[in-house]
């Protein structure tokens, strides 16, 4: 038996233990169920949706829930249930691509900063901090107004902006780990830099990044929906929760179902992600409150 | 008049619910009563339930724990069925807790005065106008110098010992009647600890407190407690007066625990207490200690012993307490192995080594070169012979770790040389040292939780040096790993474990195994036992000694614990502020004549013997950097001669061959 196969089995074994640990927690069970449900829904909703999401029927305008249209219809007389079922597709697609990309680039740069250390690192972190202190929505609006909307702009924009806080986290985690005695021990033994980064640092930082990724995902969803809400995200008539809330909010007082349905869709997904992230953090032994592995 | 019970815990069982829904007890049927004026020491290994019991005394249980049965009363109040607000008022009021590291948990951005005022506001009936005077009064009661000046300082401007005193002052703000202390001096220096113990002892007496003192440090317990209760696996195994328990323990576990403590008046390694306590989840049929007990017989394994109340006032949970005399106090092994032979070659030379952490900027280098702070470590010249163990002792910040890190090439030397095997000086940075040298010097750290990568299995951990230095892989790698594990008395089945699946002692064994895997000539041990329980510490010391005898390894052994250093070293260097005060063979350094600093350190050691009082010579002030000129110890030295100590570096006086004291006091007066 070679050592590489041992470590491979080790990784597999770890995945299973972590999964079991997550599922042993109520937060993990509820969270993962919600997330899976939403992903399935995004994949299957075109098949299940009872009506065509863009079909307008003026006689149904703002009609309340009925036996035909369970959640009523919106201001253009479109079926709210069908639109709500499909309203997460775009959001999941965009954030599902942008989140991993953000974690990868932010993580890479953060680890690099953390390793370089010293003056360079400090100066660069000031830049990051300054950037983070600007209201994010402003930054994104500037970019979107300059380059236009659509998936082709949204994905790179979100990737870029959400990678920046990841830099902070990855850098802090790197600093934490390289100050630990096991890294000192590896240095004193005379291991190469690459080997220290690869074997000692990365496995530990990746844990932190995974949890960070999950958290970023939920923030990104919220940002995406906010952009849609402001009219810079998905273009009509594509169904999207943010856009639906924006459209329906004017009729809130007499047709509240138009707002309630997409709000439930969006918040259940975000709650699901947060609960899963929580359970993941606990399963990996990363206490997010203390920002340090226990 | 017999005093009424003040804290009264009756038949208390506390447990948690496991994932499978079973109730797992961590305290089993414990009784504890304290009257006012009593001070009870609670001892046991980590995990024995000490802290749980102490917290239960104030009606508090850590998350996940619940009471299974029993009662807790405080001055007649039922603490388990008391209304929340009333409980809140009691805690921090009549009943104060000083937890571990309480000194470090002061609010960092609040001045000392404000923090104490806050405590007075919450827990005393002092009118607001009396707060300022109250603060000064409390600070003087805990014997802090310059109480008025202190009120304006922030916690980080105080030393560890001073912070701990402030924490005690805050606990006293409510004028408590009972004080619960959970390892209040862990992590403090010997001198500081000794001073705090004296303070607690006097406070308890002056205020007629009921005190419960939790500690694994029997020396501290001996100093402040009049009664001792020993816990094992969630049960009381022995109670009695401090003298009874510490001087003639009637229970095999207490006996083993005491034998595992290294003592200043013994020249041998302490006796290890093998094995480990059962986990709370393990089912125990007989005596919980049976697996580790030398007196155990059939009965012990099959039926649980009851707590026996003896005529002498002790209570013992053991069938064979009358046979305790069969356990010898004297170690089976005669003194530690091999005193070094004088003609051995030199393994490592440190020649006038200096280390500085300050990196002055270019401007200050140009304009104020005289302002550079003195080096953290300076004038270290030591030759270490092959197979020798050199102990380095000194308080926190004395530069012990810095010296080891410099030898290992992790911190660059400012000047001076490190010479291995009498060849040419080594480069100061590890990256530039030839690979052959790296293998020869290995380092073991204090805290195995920090020195083992939590994501690596034991197999991966051991593979690192074996692959790097010997290019092993596949079956030879595995075979060698198993052989090394067996050397540190761990079996093959440990290979696939992660550090989180090991106990503290096992982790440190793995760290030791990793160092020995390189087959090094020199091993640098940095406080390798201070994160461990005493019984585990004895086993680790024993292991280090056995390995050394096998391989003829040279050790540099750093510790703040003078008894541990004495037990394992051949030669000792006493450091203060990065300078050597005294160096010589163990027997010489630990007996008169002394350097004044060695004397202060030795005097402050708390022996687990209620009849031995510490001798406190120097105060416990903490200095942040060494003085620029003269003797490093000048500011605290109780025997300081005068200005010569401030201006001239003390000369080295050779008291006996190899025994050198750096002090201006002439040899005859030392
Ligand atoms: N990386 C660092 N940068 C600046 N100063 C440091 C650094 N590490 C240690 N020091 C300082 O150097 C001095 C010696 O520290 P060192 O860690 O060697 O002491 P020690 O004897 O090992 O203490 P302890 O018993 O607390 O481990 C202390 O004043 C400490 O504050
Ligand atoms: S009861 Fe038996 S096993 Fe337990 S301590 Fe006594 S002699 Fe040892
Ligand atoms: S040289 Fe002076 S200050 Fe230093 S230890 Fe000796 S007497 Fe004390
Ligand atoms: Mg140290």
């Amino acid at each position: 038996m070679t050592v590489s196969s041992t470590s491979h089995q080790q990784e597999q074994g770890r995945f299973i233990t972590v999964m079991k640990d997550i599922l042993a927690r109520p937060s993990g069970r509820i969270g993962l169920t919600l997330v899976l449900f939403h992903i399935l829904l995004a994949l299957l909703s075109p098949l299940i949706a009872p009506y065509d999401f863009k079909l307008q029927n003026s006689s149904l305008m703002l009609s309340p829930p009925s036996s035909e249209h369970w959640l009523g219809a919106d201001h253009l007389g479109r079926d709210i249930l069908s639109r709500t079922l499909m309203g997460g597709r775009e959001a999941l697609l965009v954030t599902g691509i942008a989140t991993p990309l953000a974690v990868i680039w932010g993580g890479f740069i953060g680890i690099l900063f953390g390793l370089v250390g010293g003056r360079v690192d400090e100066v660069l972190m000031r830049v990051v901090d300054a950037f983070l202190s600007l209201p994010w929505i402003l930054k994104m609006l500037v970019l979107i107004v300059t380059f236009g909307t659509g998936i082709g702009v949204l994905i790179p924009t979100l990737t870029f902006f959400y990678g920046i806080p990841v830099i902070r986290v990855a850098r802090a985690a790197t600093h934490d780990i390289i100050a630990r005695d096991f890294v000192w021990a590896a240095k004193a033994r005379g291991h190469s830099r690459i080997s220290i980064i690869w074997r000692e640092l990365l496995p530990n930082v990746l844990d932190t990044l995974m949890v960070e990724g999950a958290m970023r995902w939920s923030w990104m969803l919220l940002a995406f929906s906010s952009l849609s809400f402001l009219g810079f995200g998905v273009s009509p008539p594509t169904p999207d929760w943010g856009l639906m809330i924006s459209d329906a909010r004017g009729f809130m007082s007499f047709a509240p179902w138009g707002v309630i349905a997409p709000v439930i869709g969006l918040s259940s997904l975000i709650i699901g992600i947060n609960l899963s992230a929580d359970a993941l953090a606990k399963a990996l032994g990363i206490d997010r409150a203390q920002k340090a592995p226990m | 008049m017999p005093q009424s019970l003040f804290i009264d815990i009756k038949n208390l069982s506390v447990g948690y619910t496991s994932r499978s829904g079973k109730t797992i007890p961590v305290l089993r049927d414990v009784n504890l009563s304290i009257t006012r004026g009593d001070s009870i020491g609670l001892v046991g290994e980590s995990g024995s339930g000490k802290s749980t019991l102490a917290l239960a005394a104030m009606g508090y249980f850590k998350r996940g724990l619940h009471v299974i049965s029993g009662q807790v009363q405080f001055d007649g109040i039922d603490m388990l069925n008391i209304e929340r607000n009333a409980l809140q008022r009691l805690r921090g009021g009549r009943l104060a807790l000083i937890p571990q590291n309480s000194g470090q948990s002061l609010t960092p951005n609040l001045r000392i005065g404000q923090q104490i005022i806050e405590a007075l506001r919450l827990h005393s009936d002092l009118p607001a106008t009396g707060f300022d005077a109250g603060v000064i009064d409390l600070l003087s009661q805990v014997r802090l110098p310059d109480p008025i000046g202190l009120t304006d300082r922030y916690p980080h401007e105080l030393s560890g010992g001073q912070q701990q005193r402030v924490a005690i002052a805050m606990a006293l703000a409510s004028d408590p009647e009972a004080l619960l202390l959970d390892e209040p001096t862990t992590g403090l220096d010997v001198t500081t600890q000794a001073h705090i113990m004296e303070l607690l002892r006097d406070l308890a007496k002056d205020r007629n407190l009921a005190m419960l003192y939790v500690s694994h440090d029997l020396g501290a317990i001996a100093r402040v407690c009049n009664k001792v209760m020993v816990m094992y696996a969630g049960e009381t195994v022995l109670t009695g007066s401090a003298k009874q328990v510490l001087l003639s323990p009637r229970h095999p576990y207490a006996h083993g625990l005491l034998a595992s403590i290294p003592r200043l008046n013994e020249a041998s390694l302490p006796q290890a207490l093998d094995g480990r306590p059962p986990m709370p989840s393990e089912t125990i049929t007989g005596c919980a200690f049976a697996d580790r007990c030398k007196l155990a017989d059939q009965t012990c394994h099959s039926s649980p012993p009851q707590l026996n109340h003896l005529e002498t006032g002790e209570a013992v949970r053991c069938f064979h307490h009358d046979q305790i005399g069969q356990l010898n106090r004297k170690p089976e092994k005669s003194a530690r192995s091999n005193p070094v032979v004088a003609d051995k070659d030199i393994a490592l030379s440190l020649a006038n080594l200096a280390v500085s952490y300050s990196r002055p900027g270019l401007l200050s280098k140009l304009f104020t070169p005289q302002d550079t702070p003195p080096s953290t470590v300076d004038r270290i010249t030591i030759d270490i012979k092959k197979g020798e163990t050199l102990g380095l002792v000194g308080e926190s910040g004395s530069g012990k770790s810095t010296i080891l890190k410099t030898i290992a090439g992790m911190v660059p030397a400012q000047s001076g040389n490190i010479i291995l095997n009498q060849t040419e000086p080594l480069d100061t940075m590890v990256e530039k040292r030839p690979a052959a040298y790296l293998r020869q010097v290995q380092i073991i750290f204090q805290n195995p939780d920090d020195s083992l990568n939590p994501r690596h299995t034991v197999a991966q951990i051991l593979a690192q040096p074996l692959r790097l230095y010997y290019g092993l892989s596949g079956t030879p790698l595995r075979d060698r790993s198993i052989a090394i594990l067996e050397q540190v008395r761990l079996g093959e089945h440990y290979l696939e474990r992660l550090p989180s699946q090991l106990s503290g002692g096992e982790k440190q064994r793995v760290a030791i195994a990793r160092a020995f895997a390189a087959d090094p000539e020199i091993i640098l041990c940095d406080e390798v036992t201070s994160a461990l329980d005493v019984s585990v510490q004895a086993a680790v010391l024993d292991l280090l000694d056995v390995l050394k005898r096998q391989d003829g390894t040279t050790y540099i052994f750093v510790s703040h614990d003078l008894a541990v250093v004495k037990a394992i070293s051949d030669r000792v260097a006493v450091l203060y502020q990065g300078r050597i005060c005294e160096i010589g063979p163990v027997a010489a350094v630990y007996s008169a004549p002394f350097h004044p600093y060695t004397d202060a350190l030795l005097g402050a050691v708390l022996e687990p013997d209620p009849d031995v009082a510490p001798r406190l010579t120097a105060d416990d002030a903490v200095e942040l950097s060494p003085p620029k000129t003269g003797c490093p110890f000048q500011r605290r030295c109780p025997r300081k001669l005068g200005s010569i100590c401030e201006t001239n570096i003390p000369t080295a006086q050779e008291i006996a061959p190899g025994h050198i004291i750096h002090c201006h006091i002439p040899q005859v007066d030392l």
Side-chain angles (χ1 to χ4, degrees), chain B residues 443-481:
Chain B
I443 184 161
I444 307 173
F445 294 91
Q446 167 170 5
N447 188 349
D449 281 323
D450 214 41
S451 66
L452 302 180
N453 191 330
R455 297 289 313 273
H456 288 178
T457 58
V458 172
Q460 291 171 312
I461 289 167
L462 295 180
Q464 289 184 317
L466 291 175
R467 244 191 274 174
L468 181 71
Y469 299 131
Y470 298 103
L472 294 185
S473 65
T475 318
L477 172 62
R478 197 178 157 82
D479 290 348
R480 183 86 188 101
S481 305

Side-chain angles (χ1 to χ4, degrees), chain B residues 555-577:
Chain B
Y555 289 142
I556 301 186
F557 192 95
V558 158
S559 177
H560 67 277
D561 186 329
L562 285 106
V564 168
V565 167
K566 181 169 186 205
I568 193 137
S569 312
D570 302 306
R571 209 148 55 103
V572 185
V574 181
L575 290 171
Y576 188 73
Q577 291 290 336

Side-chain angles (χ1 to χ4, degrees), chain A residues 54-156:
Chain A
K54 43 186 193 306
L55 187 71
Q56 304 185 1
N57 183 340
S58 50
S59 64
L60 284 174
M61 256 164 38
L62 297 174
S63 65
S66 63
S67 56
E68 262 113 75
H69 298 272
W70 291 358
L71 296 180
D74 67 5
H75 60 296
L76 298 177
R78 297 174 296 194
D79 179 47
I80 292 182
L81 176 62
S82 304
R83 290 183 65 78
T84 305
L85 288 179
M86 298 184 64
R89 302 187 78 207
E90 206 81 1
L92 275 173
L93 178 71
V94 170
T95 59
I97 296 174
T99 306
L101 289 178
V103 171
I104 289 170
W105 93 261
F108 183 79
I109 300 287
I111 292 173
L112 206 66
F113 279 19
L115 285 174
V116 171
R119 288 274 158 76
V120 186
D121 168 49
E122 255 166 49
V123 171
L124 289 176
M125 279 325 283
R126 291 288 154 272
V127 176
V128 167
D129 281 345
F131 194 86
L132 284 175
S133 66
L134 297 172
W136 60 272
I137 196 101
L138 202 76
K139 293 177 279 197
M140 271 194 288
L141 287 180
V142 170
L143 263 182
I144 289 164
V145 168
T146 324
F147 296 105
T149 57
I151 290 192
V153 177
L154 278 175
I155 292 181

Side-chain angles (χ1 to χ4, degrees), chain A residues 51-258:
Chain A
Y51 296 93
D52 180 356
F53 65 86
K54 43 186 193 306
L55 187 71
Q56 304 185 1
N57 183 340
S58 50
S59 64
L60 284 174
M61 256 164 38
L62 297 174
S63 65
S66 63
S67 56
E68 262 113 75
H69 298 272
W70 291 358
L71 296 180
D74 67 5
H75 60 296
L76 298 177
R78 297 174 296 194
D79 179 47
I80 292 182
L81 176 62
S82 304
R83 290 183 65 78
T84 305
L85 288 179
M86 298 184 64
R89 302 187 78 207
E90 206 81 1
L92 275 173
L93 178 71
V94 170
T95 59
I97 296 174
T99 306
L101 289 178
V103 171
I104 289 170
W105 93 261
F108 183 79
I109 300 287
I111 292 173
L112 206 66
F113 279 19
L115 285 174
V116 171
R119 288 274 158 76
V120 186
D121 168 49
E122 255 166 49
V123 171
L124 289 176
M125 279 325 283
R126 291 288 154 272
V127 176
V128 167
D129 281 345
F131 194 86
L132 284 175
S133 66
L134 297 172
W136 60 272
I137 196 101
L138 202 76
K139 293 177 279 197
M140 271 194 288
L141 287 180
V142 170
L143 263 182
I144 289 164
V145 168
T146 324
F147 296 105
T149 57
I151 290 192
V153 177
L154 278 175
I155 292 181
T157 309
L158 288 168
T159 301
F160 176 69
F161 284 107
Y162 280 80
I164 290 175
V166 178
I167 295 181
R168 269 204 142 270
V169 173
R171 172 182 170 272
T174 306
H175 272 266
D176 275 359
I177 301 291
I178 57 175
R180 304 263 309 262
D181 283 344
F182 60 82
V183 175
W184 282 105
K187 276 190 205 157
R189 274 197 305 273
H191 284 286
S192 67
R193 251 182 162 213
I194 302 287
S195 140
I196 292 177
I197 294 172
W198 190 249
R199 283 171 202 276
E200 310 289 343
L201 182 71
L202 278 187
N204 288 293
V205 175
L206 286 185
D207 278 1
T208 312
L209 284 184
M210 252 166 33
V211 175
E212 176 64 15
M215 291 313 296
R216 284 298 143 216
W217 188 17
S218 77
W219 284 108
M220 202 189 273
L221 264 169
L222 211 54
F224 177 86
S225 304
S226 310
L227 285 176
S228 296
F229 179 86
L230 295 174
F232 296 102
V234 181
S235 38
T238 320
D240 177 85
W241 294 324
L243 195 59
M244 287 168 71
I245 297 170
S246 160
D247 286 346
R249 95 201 123 113
F251 318 108
M252 186 73 178
S253 51
F254 51 94
W257 44 88

Side-chain angles (χ1 to χ4, degrees), chain B residues 8-9 25 60 97 131 184 194 261 460 463 479 501 584 621:
Chain B
D8 192 17
I9 296 180
Y60 179 83
L97 173 76
F131 284 166
I261 302 174
Q460 291 171 312
D479 290 348
Q501 295 162 330

